Amino acid sequence: MSQDGPTPLERFINGILPENPVYRQILGMCPTLAVTNSMEGALTMAGAVAFVLICSNVLISLIRGLLKPHLRILVFTLTIATFVTIADRVLAAYMYEMSKQLGPYVPLIIVNCIIICRCEVCASKQGLRAALTDAVGQALGFTLGLASIATVREILGSGTWFGRWLGWRVIPEAAPQHWSPWVVMVLPPGAFITLGLLMGAVNWFAARKAK
Amino acid sequence: MDAATQKPENVASAPVAVAPAIHIAPAPHLFGGVLTTRRMMVDVLLALVPVLVASLWMFRLYTVLQLAICMVSALVAETVFTKMRGRRPTLGDGSAVVTGAILAFSLPATAPWYVGFIGAFVAIGLGKIVFGGLGQNIFNPAMVGRAFVLIAFPVAMGASAYVAPTAGLDGLTQATPLTALKMLGQSTGLLPLFLGTTNGSLGETSALACLIGGLYLCARRTASWEIPAAAILAVAAISGLLGVLGPRTGWTLFHDLSGGAFLFGAFYIATDPVSSPLTPKGKWMFGAGFGALVMLIRRMSGYPEGVMFAVLIMNALVPLINRWAIPTPVGGPVPVKKTA
Amino acid sequence: MIATVPGKQGSGRFARGVHPPERKGFAAEAPIEVLPNPPQVAIPLLQHTGAPCEPLVKVKDEVALGQKIGEGKGFITAPVHASVAGTVAMPSVTTLPNGRHVRTIPIKTGPTQLSAEELKANLFGGDWPVSGLDSQAPEQIAQAAREAGLVGLGGAAFPTHVKLTRNEKRPVDTVLLNGCECEPYLTSDYRLMIEFPRPIITGALLAARATGAAQIIIAVEDNKPAAVEALRRAADGTGVEVRVMETRYPMGGERQVIPAALDREVPTGGLPLDVGVVVINVGTAAALAAAVLRGRALTHRVVSVTGAGIAQPKNLLVPVGVSYRGLIDFCGGLKPDAARVIAGGPMMGFALNDLNVTVTKGTSGIVVLTHEDLKQIEETTCVRCGRCVDVCPLHLVPTRLALASRYQDWDMARRYHLMACCECGCCAYVCPAAIPLVQLMRMGKAQLPNE
Amino acid sequence: MKNSYIGQAWLVVVLSLCFGAALAAVQTTLQPRIEQNKLADTIGQIPKLVPGAAGGELQRVGDQVAYRAMDASGQQVGWVLAAAGQGFADRIELLIGMDAAAARITGLYVLDQKETPGLGNKIVDDAFCAKFQGRATEPVLVVTKHAPQADREIEGITGATISSESVVGIVNAAVAKFREAPKP
């Protein structure tokens, strides 16, 4: 089933920047917009996605020889749903605070297009090594995307970075006439604006580099 | 003269040399020329003078400070962003100054410096430049900036921002008329509302000043009179109707018209040509929708005032309105040619 | 069907339009002078809307003044005639102001010519009957117009006999003489109306006889009271009515003057005929009288040479085929600050890059503008101010049409009725951003039918 | 066999069984811990809401959810009442701490809210919740715009009148109902 294409290493690197799921493929927008108002939420979500992505990619790659074309999406969904449920339960058991904060967005990983996309284009056609490196690369790329947005939003919106876990305050607290955190950054509009501006910046740099 | 003398090489020696540089261009060769884009912007600034006077009288130095912050920030933002896009700076057309001024007049007097600063950058950057610069923006840039800072800094921009107990001016220690009405059920007198001796955003308090400047804008045809006219009619109609259905003590349709930022919005903000419809019919629809939304938000939402959101919502509807309001040409539509 | 009640009067106005500076003063008081015959004229074989002519003469033929030298095939065409007596030279090709390349027949002026006084008297002077015209058969009038090569002298140069031919299905009840001359600067019609109102009235009566119209109206803008006065005096007792129109550009357009004078709306894509009206320029009417009653072919016309860039602005009676340079030289030449020479009026005329082009039947004027007049501003982006919408006499949305043309969005062009545009130039005249709206729309109109 | 449904779908069936089993295992293993987390979230608040309390146990009173607050020796020292109601933006969920007679409020905790950040969400701040401490449950509390002059007055949050009034309203309603209800 092997075919010409990127080597596993290239797949790994591709996932991080050249084909970054958030900035280049514009996939997985729901968590990107919903849970990036703090680093903690972003990283927990990225971790959960990474877990599901890696596990399903590996499993699909292992059973790729048995897949029937018209049933493959069903099998993908079944697999993903299982791992998502496991991730959700584990979070509820061991990271109750984060689980409460992320709310429905962990179960919603099931419909995250990154995972089904990787299953479809990579895992169901490639060997175990390729599928694994691809999943890890994509997961890292997704983490990078979420973390970059969360960094901007948390610093501007709350003045902190990893405020809940590490308590780092980036912008010192000041009297309201001198400075105030931007509440809009904590709210959904902040996610849209930040994503748009960062995506614009990424494209701008890409265009400059291409010149 | 024979045919030979008509050849071009003899032209120079002809008695009437074509010494004048004759150049060609498409018709029309005359240009109305009175009104340029720049001149329109200057008109808006001139029309803001009465508002400025009223604001200076009411808020003194707060006005100067807020205007300076917003206008300078808007100019800096325009320079920075046009440079980033590799375009020629367009400071000369005056649109950035106007955006800065409108933003400043829509802020509370005591709003901290960073509100105007960030508001101006968002207005120019997200409100205008990302759409492709002047003429391309969907939303009124100043209102985009204001919406951003309202959501970003609710404490510095919300109802509480207008009441500044520490301020050195008497006016600033009272709630704005609309907040007083909404939260406390207190009505403000018509004369203070009309003259502007109440608290509020810098430019909105004096209905009189807005009327003077607004009528100047309409007379100059820089602003389309249809929009404020339709807006005033809509507010008067809805407020009058609500007044008949369930009167509020001491609050009439005249209070609704002169209170809050309605007149300022109707004359200076809703009439922004870029983000309003093109045809007279469209302008009527736009103005009426604006007025209706202002009343809806004032009466039905958690916000005491709805001018900003009304403008932004109507801006979003403009492409649709333009489509609805395509005029029929004189003589009817172009007949559809039957294909041979 | 639009109501065609005879006698119903319009308000003398139309909605929107613009008020460009009139600037008629340069040549308004200059009486019509006869241009001395140039050493050579070049008669283009296509001076009208329709099929071009084929030459009827050979090189070195001797031709007389008014001799037919070119004839076209088909209904919508008009023959051309020698405008001087002389010898035919080698045919060549010339470029008309509108950019069209056409074949021309050059004629070297011979020694025997009519004097200026004879010419003027022949064309316009003397007695013009206003009664007894019933003896002329309608078909003969139309036929005479065709033989004389009569075309609309207002600018579009549509063959006149087409308008004068009766059509049973579309009866005509009104002949509307267009004496509005709404373009700034131009005064040729004005001078003709003042100096020679009688042939105009007679021409109007002949046109009514040809078409069977019961009503004859002359529309004149209210900035020409002297013309109204002269026409009214000449029309006294003839049943021809002079109606005064508001001075507003483009009142001279058919789609504006018909509603203004008669309160009838010409359907888009249709003709004045659809509402029972035939519109004829006042100059055309005078030429019709000369053609029918005196057998004069259309060989001369009145041209205003005017503007701040010309030394001595004049109204000239000139032979068709003379070069622009000949006219300009006769008027003392260009002033040093002349910046643009325009064939026609400044709102719709064409700028020339070569003064050696020839005057045709449709040339109503030569306007020379100075740098001062042209103070143009740089094109900036559209701020959607809607000024163009406020002035469009056809109630279109020019900014959208120009945008659609620029980006070749033909769906949008259709939605906003691009083909209804008459290119009057009001929109570009007022545009604060100096966007070449007319040029863009003209481009779009050229391309749209092919999409 | 090849074209039958089972032949087509055996992989799905097998996978479903495997995944089902795996999920059952995960659920059985983790469920007690998750339940405990949930309970701890509320019970953990009890010592903060009722002075002297060390823990508590669930006690339904009518259709209201309440917790008996106990001190270290197992003696009841108060009540914690769960209450909810409409706020400015969405539902507000509260825990109200009271003394054993439900005569005085001893503490307030906001479990869940989605009020406007920067304005309405200040109801979660200690500064606001502390204003309820020690207030009598009768007469009902009212929101004022100035510093409180009477025991029943609670100063609202500037710019968030509706959120403040919502919280006070929820407290008033829940406490009144709880006082009426017969306690087991």
Side-chain angles (χ1 to χ4, degrees):
Chain A
M1 264 241 176
S2 72
Q3 49 182 213
D4 289 339
T7 63
L9 181 67
E10 278 167 359
R11 286 178 181 282
F12 175 73
I13 291 172
N14 266 351
I16 296 175
L17 266 185
E19 285 174 23
N20 185 292
V22 173
Y23 291 120
R24 307 313 300 234
Q25 302 180 54
I26 331 267
L27 287 176
M29 287 296 110
C30 167
T32 305
L33 295 172
V35 301
T36 50
N37 55 13
S38 70
M39 283 302 280
E40 294 84 358
L43 289 189
T44 310
M45 172 55 74
V49 168
F51 166 75
V52 178
L53 183 55
I54 293 168
C55 291
S56 13
N57 252 22
V58 167
L59 190 76
I60 297 292
S61 177
L62 285 175
I63 60 168
R64 69 187 187 279
L66 305 170
L67 290 174
K68 298 266 187 311
H70 63 288
L71 288 176
R72 67 187 198 288
I73 300 288
L74 180 61
V75 173
F76 297 162
T77 319
L78 200 62
T79 314
I80 296 166
T82 306
F83 288 116
V84 168
T85 313
I86 293 173
D88 181 45
R89 295 289 84 189
V90 169
L91 278 182
Y94 295 100
M95 296 175 77
Y96 185 68
E97 266 304 305
M98 288 320 298
S99 162
K100 233 174 77 172
Q101 193 203 330
L102 294 179
Y105 295 106
V106 175
L108 278 174
I109 296 174
I110 295 171
V111 292
N112 189 323
C113 295
I114 300 173
I115 301 165
I116 206 155
C117 162
R118 294 334 290 181
C119 287
E120 170 75 11
V121 303
C122 178
S124 63
K125 294 174 184 138
Q126 302 294 331
L128 185 59
R129 221 162 67 107
L132 183 64
T133 47
D134 180 82
V136 174
Q138 293 289 333
L140 277 177
F142 188 65
T143 311
L144 195 67
L146 256 57
S148 54
I149 295 170
T151 301
V152 174
R153 289 183 66 191
E154 191 180 338
I155 289 177
L156 287 179
S158 316
T160 59
W161 202 52
F162 285 107
R164 221 168 305 172
W165 287 350
L166 304 173
W168 288 346
R169 180 152 275 287
V170 179
I171 300 173
E173 278 189 81
Q177 66 266 31
H178 298 308
W179 187 253
S180 155
W182 306 12
V183 176
V184 68
M185 281 299 170
V186 182
L187 297 175
F192 280 96
I193 292 169
T194 312
L195 175 67
L197 291 180
L198 287 179
M199 202 178 281
V202 168
N203 287 342
W204 191 57
F205 279 117
R208 267 171 65 110
K209 223 173 133 189
K211 252 184 222 166
Chain B
M1 242 203 276
D2 57 13
T5 58
Q6 293 192 352
K7 284 186 182 165
E9 57 261 32
N10 291 328
V11 167
S13 62
V16 193
V18 193
I22 303 296
H23 51 264
I24 56 169
H29 306 284
L30 293 181
F31 174 58
V34 210
L35 196 93
T36 59
T37 307
R38 192 191 155 86
R39 173 69 221 200
M40 288 170 79
M41 297 301 168
V42 172
D43 267 345
V44 177
L45 291 178
L46 283 177
L48 282 170
V49 167
V51 176
L52 175 70
V53 171
S55 178
L56 279 175
W57 177 50
M58 190 62 199
F59 301 112
R60 311 293 152 98
L61 273 178
Y62 287 113
T63 308
V64 181
L65 196 65
Q66 203 62 268
L67 267 175
I69 290 171
C70 288
M71 285 162 88
V72 170
S73 307
L75 285 171
V76 172
E78 177 96 1
T79 315
V80 170
F81 290 136
T82 45
K83 203 158 183 184
M84 271 176 71
R85 291 180 70 219
R87 299 284 173 96
R88 273 177 310 156
T90 44
L91 295 183
D93 63 26
S95 62
V97 177
V98 168
T99 300
I102 298 278
L103 176 68
F105 280 123
S106 69
L107 295 179
T110 52
W113 67 274
Y114 54 86
V115 169
F117 177 75
I118 292 168
F121 265 77
V122 171
I124 301 287
L126 289 184
K128 192 165 84 172
I129 301 291
V130 293
F131 290 100
L134 179 66
Q136 307 300 317
N137 44 301
I138 298 170
F139 298 103
N140 181 307
M143 288 302 101
V144 171
R146 189 181 189 276
F148 186 89
V149 290
L150 172 71
I151 303 171
F153 309 110
V155 180
M157 286 291 297
S160 57
Y162 291 93
V163 187
T166 53
L169 294 169
D170 286 347
L172 285 175
T173 55
Q174 68 201 20
T176 64
L178 288 176
T179 308
L181 179 75
K182 182 144 217 152
M183 298 303 172
L184 311 173
Q186 289 169 1
S187 169
T188 312
L190 198 51
L191 194 67
L193 280 182
F194 190 69
L195 293 178
T197 55
T198 57
N199 198 358
S201 296
L202 286 175
E204 72 177 30
T205 55
S206 172
L208 179 66
C210 291
L211 271 178
I212 295 172
L215 291 178
Y216 168 77
L217 270 188
C218 292
R220 288 278 311 170
R221 308 221 9 91
T222 294
S224 314
W225 62 272
E226 290 96 340
I227 294 173
I232 288 170
L233 286 179
V235 164
I238 296 175
S239 182
L241 192 71
L242 290 178
V244 172
L245 293 179
R248 287 178 159 184
T249 340
W251 191 267
T252 65
L253 69 93
F254 297 104
H255 290 77
D256 262 325
L257 285 174
S258 40
F262 172 67
L263 284 180
F264 186 75
F267 280 111
Y268 296 95
I269 304 175
T271 55
D272 167 25
V274 179
S275 52
S276 61
L278 284 166
T279 60
K281 191 174 152 197
K283 284 168 181 169
W284 280 103
M285 288 154 99
F286 181 85
F290 165 71
L293 280 175
V294 167
M295 286 310 295
L296 191 76
I297 297 172
R298 277 184 184 177
R299 293 292 168 94
M300 310 281 227
S301 82
Y303 288 96
E305 175 59 302
V307 167
M308 180 185 78
F309 288 119
V311 167
L312 290 173
I313 292 169
M314 290 313 291
N315 284 166
L317 289 179
V318 163
L320 202 60
I321 295 178
N322 271 339
R323 233 169 196 275
W324 286 336
I326 296 176
T328 313
V330 172
V334 180
V336 183
K337 227 191 280 170
K338 285 171 193 83
T339 39
Chain C
M1 192 69 195
I2 294 153
T4 54
V5 186
K8 191 178 176 196
Q9 191 165 348
S11 60
R13 296 157 185 274
F14 67 93
R16 311 194 186 178
V18 292
H19 282 287
E22 293 171 17
R23 306 223 176 116
K24 305 261 189 195
F26 287 107
E29 300 312 318
I32 298 171
E33 282 182 55
V34 179
L35 181 76
N37 277 320
Q40 174 170 335
V41 293
I43 316 281
L45 285 167
L46 175 64
Q47 303 184 31
H48 49 264
T49 310
C53 295
E54 290 302 319
L56 300 173
V57 290
K58 298 190 298 296
V59 179
K60 293 195 177 153
D61 279 1
E62 292 290 325
V63 290
L65 170 64
Q67 181 183 335
K68 194 194 282 184
I69 59 170
E71 173 72 274
K73 289 198 187 77
F75 182 55
I76 303 184
T77 186
V80 293
H81 302 79
S83 60
V84 294
T87 320
V88 175
M90 204 59 172
S92 66
V93 171
T94 190
T95 308
L96 294 182
N98 60 14
R100 248 183 122 148
H101 295 281
V102 295
R103 288 192 294 162
T104 62
I105 300 178
I107 301 171
K108 282 189 180 159
T109 310
T112 49
Q113 301 291 345
L114 286 181
S115 72
E117 289 69 32
E118 283 170 325
L119 187 72
K120 223 168 162 178
N122 215 327
L123 285 176
F124 305 121
D127 190 39
W128 295 95
V130 291
S131 57
L133 296 172
D134 293 352
S135 59
Q136 304 279 346
E139 300 75 33
Q140 276 174 357
I141 298 174
Q143 186 58 31
R146 190 187 193 288
E147 278 307 304
L150 223 57
V151 301
L153 298 183
F158 188 77
T160 306
H161 70 270
V162 179
K163 293 186 189 176
L164 297 183
T165 306
R166 284 203 194 183
N167 180 340
E168 293 309 321
K169 286 179 197 150
R170 291 174 175 184
V172 169
D173 61 66
T174 304
V175 166
L176 181 61
L177 251 56
N178 190 346
C180 292
E181 201 164 46
C182 59
E183 278 268 10
Y185 291 95
L186 301 187
T187 50
S188 53
D189 287 350
Y190 174 66
R191 288 310 306 179
L192 191 69
M193 288 187 281
I194 289 183
E195 297 183 35
F196 305 108
R198 295 181 56 81
I200 296 175
I201 302 294
T202 304
L205 293 166
L206 286 168
R209 170 80 188 137
T211 55
Q215 183 178 232
I216 306 170
I217 288 164
I218 306 181
V220 183
E221 280 186 342
D222 60 11
N223 63 348
K224 304 178 188 68
V228 174
E229 176 70 12
L231 286 171
R232 283 205 170 133
R233 213 176 305 127
D236 192 34
T238 61
V240 175
E241 187 189 343
V242 180
R243 283 188 188 165
V244 179
M245 303 289 123
E246 185 194 13
T247 301
R248 180 189 289 240
Y249 181 84
M251 181 59 90
E254 285 177 349
R255 284 165 194 286
Q256 284 73 45
V257 74
I258 295 176
L262 299 164
D263 196 23
R264 299 181 195 173
E265 209 171 85
V266 183
T268 302
L271 293 169
L273 198 58
D274 294 333
V275 290
V277 183
V278 162
V279 181
I280 294 175
N281 175 268
V282 285
T284 315
L288 177 66
V292 174
L293 299 176
R294 295 183 181 177
R296 299 289 321 195
L298 180 59
T299 57
H300 287 71
R301 70 156 296 149
V302 183
V303 175
S304 303
V305 183
T306 178
I310 196 91
Q312 299 146 20
K314 289 177 190 225
N315 298 296
L316 300 174
L317 182 64
V318 305
V320 167
V322 64
S323 79
Y324 277 56
R325 179 179 301 284
L327 272 65
I328 290 169
D329 288 351
F330 184 70
C331 294
L334 302 179
K335 285 188 187 167
D337 60 344
R340 193 175 293 174
V341 180
I342 300 157
M347 295 298 282
M348 288 184 78
F350 296 92
L352 298 179
N353 61 349
D354 175 12
L355 300 185
N356 293 322
V357 296
T358 53
V359 170
T360 65
K361 295 172 185 175
T363 306
S364 51
I366 302 173
V367 178
V368 184
L369 299 180
T370 62
H371 291 284
E372 179 92 1
D373 300 322
L374 291 176
K375 257 192 284 172
Q376 277 276 4
I377 59 164
E378 208 182 333
E379 182 182 344
T380 51
T381 59
C382 174
V383 295
R384 304 187 226 169
C385 64
R387 306 287 286 197
C388 52
V389 182
D390 292 344
V391 299
C392 179
L394 294 174
H395 299 199
L396 303 174
V397 188
T399 169
R400 281 299 152 110
L401 294 175
L403 202 70
S405 300
R406 183 174 269 172
Y407 297 107
Q408 317 221 323
D409 180 347
W410 305 123
D411 277 343
M412 181 154 133
R414 281 196 195 92
R415 204 159 61 231
Y416 281 89
H417 315 289
L418 175 63
M419 294 313 278
C421 168
C422 65
E423 301 170 23
C424 65
C426 291
C427 48
Y429 173 76
V430 296
C431 179
I435 298 169
L437 292 162
V438 182
Q439 197 187 12
L440 288 167
M441 286 189 281
R442 202 177 282 157
M443 193 181 84
K445 280 170 74 176
Q447 291 181 42
L448 180 60
N450 306 326
E451 290 300 318
Chain D
M1 187 65 186
K2 239 188 168 172
N3 285 328
S4 73
Y5 291 120
I6 297 295
Q8 299 266 327
W10 70 267
L11 181 65
V12 179
V13 175
V14 170
L15 278 180
S16 305
L17 289 174
C18 295
F19 289 157
L23 286 181
V26 168
Q27 182 70 5
T28 341
T29 324
L30 297 181
Q31 188 59 27
R33 210 188 146 90
I34 296 170
E35 286 298 321
Q36 203 187 340
N37 280 342
K38 277 188 182 167
L39 195 63
D41 198 29
T42 310
I43 303 281
Q45 296 299 331
I46 289 177
K48 293 180 211 159
L49 291 170
V50 181
E57 64 182 36
L58 183 65
Q59 175 71 64
R60 287 186 182 277
V61 176
D63 57 353
Q64 286 182 302
V65 175
Y67 301 85
R68 233 179 252 284
M70 319 280 209
D71 66 9
S73 60
Q75 190 69 32
Q76 181 173 5
V77 289
W79 290 97
V80 170
L81 177 63
Q86 182 61 35
F88 176 70
D90 203 344
R91 258 170 85 84
I92 298 176
E93 287 180 32
L94 302 174
L95 288 180
I96 307 159
M98 286 172 290
D99 60 15
R104 208 157 270 279
I105 294 173
T106 54
L108 184 73
Y109 177 74
V110 180
L111 268 181
D112 194 18
Q113 56 82 28
K114 294 185 178 61
E115 300 303 278
T116 319
L119 291 174
N121 76 347
K122 283 189 183 167
I123 59 173
V124 305
D125 291 357
D126 283 345
F128 179 70
C129 292
K131 288 175 183 165
F132 290 84
Q133 258 171 32
R135 300 303 176 92
T137 51
E138 242 185 4
V140 292
L141 301 169
V142 291
V143 177
T144 64
K145 288 202 164 281
H146 45 78
Q149 278 140 15
D151 186 45
R152 61 183 300 209
E153 290 181 350
I154 301 273
E155 189 186 354
I157 299 164
T158 318
T161 317
I162 295 179
S163 298
S164 317
E165 279 175 349
S166 302
V167 171
V168 170
I170 295 167
V171 168
N172 284 338
V175 168
K177 190 171 174 193
F178 183 73
R179 281 167 60 87
E180 302 286 308
K183 290 168 199 69

